[in-house]
């Protein structure tokens, strides 16, 4: 138990070094432990964790891949800025849902991102500029990201993430109070979750 707490504090220290603009020194963290650990304990655990992880820290997340993919696509791919924002918002939400499922967490973040993007585009059924250009958009995704939306290996992810989104939609529809985690434009008629996942228009 003592080692577990040390690992937790060291993980916090490493996260601060990676993501915060200001870092704290180990002496300060040792003081926060109320004498349970010394700075030497923390530095030793940090070294152990780094070597065990083979220094694989701060890998790109699915959201990072999503934002890079969308930035690679030509301006106007989604018709309007509003369409682009709505597609991004709903793709991010689908990615957030995916972290609740172990069989999705173990998938490559790059694939999770492209599937979330595909599903989000497929839901824009009431937007003519999107509905009529799906094939072209999918070809653009393949060209600029190097991932083929029609690859059969993505079929499991497309179906699983679609069903996960549908399950969440059904849960939310039974609740009367608004949920802050739902995208702002989620209830707009533009975004629809069909009963079955649609194949990417190839």
């Amino acid at each position: 138990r003592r080692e577990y707490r040390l690992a937790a504090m060291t993980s916090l220290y490493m996260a601060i070094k990676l993501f915060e603009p200001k870092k704290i020194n180990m002496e300060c963290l040792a003081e926060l432990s109320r004498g349970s650990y010394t700075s030497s304990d923390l530095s030793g655990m940090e070294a152990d964790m780094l070597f065990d992880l083979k220094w694989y820290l701060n890998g790109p997340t699915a959201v990072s891949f999503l934002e890079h993919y969308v930035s690679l696509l030509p301006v106007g791919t989604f018709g309007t800025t509003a369409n682009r924002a709505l597609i991004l918002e709903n793709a991010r939400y689908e990615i957030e849902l995916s972290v609740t499922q172990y069989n999705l967490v173990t998938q490559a973040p790059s694939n999770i991102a492209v599937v979330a993007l595909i599903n989000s585009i497929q839901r824009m059924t009431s937007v003519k500029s999107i509905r009529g250009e799906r094939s072209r958009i999918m070809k653009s995704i393949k060209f600029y990201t190097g991932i083929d939306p029609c690859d059969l290996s993505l079929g499991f992810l497309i179906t699983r993430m679609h069903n996960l989104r549908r399950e969440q939609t059904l849960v939310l529809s039974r609740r009367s109070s608004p949920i802050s985690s739902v995208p702002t434009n989620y209830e707009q008629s533009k975004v629809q979750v069909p009963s079955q996942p649609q194949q990417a228009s190839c």
Side-chain angles (χ1 to χ4, degrees), residues 37 74-75 159:
Y37 310 106
V75 175
T159 301

PDB file of all heavy atoms in Angstrom, residues 37 74-75 159:
ATOM      1  N   TYR A  37       7.234  10.159   2.629  1.00  0.00           N
ATOM      2  CA  TYR A  37       8.235   9.891   1.593  1.00  0.00           C
ATOM      3  C   TYR A  37       9.253  11.017   1.528  1.00  0.00           C
ATOM      4  O   TYR A  37       8.950  12.167   1.848  1.00  0.00           O
ATOM      5  CB  TYR A  37       7.568   9.742   0.215  1.00  0.00           C
ATOM      6  CG  TYR A  37       6.410   8.779   0.210  1.00  0.00           C
ATOM      7  CD1 TYR A  37       5.096   9.248   0.143  1.00  0.00           C
ATOM      8  CD2 TYR A  37       6.611   7.407   0.298  1.00  0.00           C
ATOM      9  CE1 TYR A  37       4.025   8.380   0.151  1.00  0.00           C
ATOM     10  CE2 TYR A  37       5.546   6.527   0.302  1.00  0.00           C
ATOM     11  CZ  TYR A  37       4.251   7.020   0.234  1.00  0.00           C
ATOM     12  OH  TYR A  37       3.200   6.143   0.252  1.00  0.00           O
ATOM     13  N   PRO A  74      -8.999  19.746 -46.664  1.00  0.00           N
ATOM     14  CA  PRO A  74      -9.105  21.071 -47.303  1.00  0.00           C
ATOM     15  C   PRO A  74     -10.214  21.917 -46.700  1.00  0.00           C
ATOM     16  O   PRO A  74     -11.228  21.391 -46.226  1.00  0.00           O
ATOM     17  CB  PRO A  74      -9.422  20.712 -48.762  1.00  0.00           C
ATOM     18  CG  PRO A  74      -8.948  19.309 -48.939  1.00  0.00           C
ATOM     19  CD  PRO A  74      -9.149  18.635 -47.617  1.00  0.00           C
ATOM     20  N   VAL A  75     -10.007  23.220 -46.727  1.00  0.00           N
ATOM     21  CA  VAL A  75     -11.027  24.153 -46.243  1.00  0.00           C
ATOM     22  C   VAL A  75     -12.294  23.960 -47.080  1.00  0.00           C
ATOM     23  O   VAL A  75     -12.240  23.848 -48.299  1.00  0.00           O
ATOM     24  CB  VAL A  75     -10.531  25.606 -46.359  1.00  0.00           C
ATOM     25  CG1 VAL A  75     -11.637  26.584 -45.961  1.00  0.00           C
ATOM     26  CG2 VAL A  75      -9.291  25.811 -45.500  1.00  0.00           C
ATOM     27  N   THR A 159     -19.205  -0.151 -35.719  1.00  0.00           N
ATOM     28  CA  THR A 159     -20.419  -0.705 -35.115  1.00  0.00           C
ATOM     29  C   THR A 159     -20.432  -0.506 -33.605  1.00  0.00           C
ATOM     30  O   THR A 159     -21.445  -0.083 -33.029  1.00  0.00           O
ATOM     31  CB  THR A 159     -20.529  -2.207 -35.433  1.00  0.00           C
ATOM     32  OG1 THR A 159     -20.564  -2.381 -36.853  1.00  0.00           O
ATOM     33  CG2 THR A 159     -21.789  -2.799 -34.821  1.00  0.00           C
TER      34      THR A 159
END
